[in-house]
Amino acid sequence: MQIAILLYPGFTALDAMGPFEVLGNLPGADTVFVAEQPGTIRNDSGKLAVLADASLAEVGSPDIVVVPGAPDTSGPVKSEAVREWLTAVDRTTTWTTSVCTGSLILAAAGLLTGRRATSHWLYLDELASYGVEPTGERVVTDGKYVTAAGVSSGIDMGLTLAGRIAGDRVAQAIQLLIEYDPQPPYDAGSPEKAPADLVAEWRARRI
């Protein structure tokens, strides 16, 4: 079972690494980082470099595709090579997935039209411009398309998918082994829970 995680300059690290850590522990998983060209790809801070093992042309029929997000997705959204690859591999994938604003990349490729999907809360409204029905849920499954909300929700998406693929017990074992037991010191992880002035501040920065 090949799992292809798309990389591009400026991607958000946890968007890719959360699903990598979860899905990579599935029995028979063969995880590959893929980019337009193989080599090191730096994340949005520029401080982390991840090796893309293969080019898009070298990965033609993965079973699962994971598209991480970024603060700025204009690069992959505008990339004809990325759009064509996503459209091509989607014809045979079992699951096509995204984390955070990665859903905007899938939407730009026309893969989410008419479907329900989620994204980071700051970018959620952009989905509608692609003919997608936005929802604030943390993980959304619509057919074979699984989208996750912001950043850390990629772990939840990975576990959701692991359960669908290998069963609850395997997914629970993965959760146990990575000790994913969130107990944050603050309850401010969504715009509904965070202080209103903090939400307003970040919405203003986004404009």
Side-chain angles (χ1 to χ4, degrees), residues 139-205:
V139 178
V140 176
T141 302
D142 189 331
K144 72 171 186 176
Y145 301 93
V146 187
T147 56
V151 194
S152 63
S153 62
I155 299 173
D156 299 62
M157 185 275 287
L159 288 170
T160 298
L161 203 53
R164 295 287 297 272
I165 293 169
D168 293 340
R169 189 168 180 82
V170 170
Q172 288 169 335
I174 293 172
Q175 181 179 8
L176 175 62
L177 291 172
I178 68 172
E179 202 168 347
Y180 181 55
D181 183 26
Q183 300 175 44
Y186 304 103
D187 191 19
S190 73
E192 292 77 24
K193 297 178 179 180
D197 63 323
L198 189 60
V199 175
E201 176 186 338
W202 280 96
R203 287 197 188 280
R205 292 190 187 190

Side-chain angles (χ1 to χ4, degrees), residues 117-128:
T118 190
S119 189
H120 190 285
W121 64 272
L122 277 172
Y123 300 81
L124 195 57
D125 57 349
E126 291 189 22
L127 283 172

